[in-house]
């Protein structure tokens, strides 16, 4: 609560583990690891599509293309008020 105005402030914190999102050909992953890496990479691509659509102020934003973008929809939809958005890649 803002003590000066009495306004109630709300925020979201989403922690998403994208471990395994690497170049499939370099990792030589097989089986379940390969499917997981492909799924994560598809989700990251969908996230990029959503951010691009929001930046272009498109009439249609493809939130439904991935569970990741569906979960982040409430945060990404308010991108005008977004304070920070991090994608951290650790090798």
């Amino acid at each position: 609560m803002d003590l000066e105005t009495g306004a109630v402030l709300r925020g979201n914190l989403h922690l998403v583990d994208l471990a395994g999102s690497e170049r499939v050909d370099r990792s030589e992953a097989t089986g379940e690891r390969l499917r997981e890496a492909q799924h994560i990479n598809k989700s990251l691509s969908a996230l990029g599509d959503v951010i691009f659509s929001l930046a272009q102020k498109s009439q249609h934003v493809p939130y439904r293309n991935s569970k990741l973008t569906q979960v982040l929809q409430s945060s990404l939809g308010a991108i005008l008020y977004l304070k920070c958005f991090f994608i951290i890649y650790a090798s």
Side-chain angles (χ1 to χ4, degrees):
M1 177 179 280
D2 186 330
L3 297 177
E4 292 179 18
T5 65
V8 176
L9 306 173
R10 298 184 193 273
N12 292 321
L13 174 64
H14 297 281
L15 301 175
V16 181
D17 179 10
L18 297 174
S21 62
E22 63 262 346
R23 295 199 173 149
V24 175
D25 56 342
R26 284 189 190 173
S27 69
E28 299 178 5
T30 59
E32 187 63 32
R33 268 186 98 180
L34 174 63
R35 284 188 293 281
E36 180 183 356
Q38 289 171 332
H39 184 71
I40 290 170
N41 289 337
K42 182 180 175 188
S43 294
L44 288 173
S45 178
L47 179 60
D49 293 342
V50 167
I51 292 171
F52 180 79
S53 294
L54 290 169
Q56 297 296 315
K57 298 182 181 173
S58 299
Q59 287 184 328
H60 172 70
V61 180
Y63 290 114
R64 292 186 179 180
N65 289 355
S66 162
K67 286 187 180 192
L68 175 64
T69 54
Q70 288 176 16
V71 168
L72 296 176
Q73 182 174 357
S74 64
S75 296
L76 293 172
I79 204 142
L80 296 174
Y81 305 105
L82 192 64
K83 295 294 181 189
C84 60
F85 187 84
F86 295 98
I87 297 178
I88 300 170
Y89 177 76
S91 57

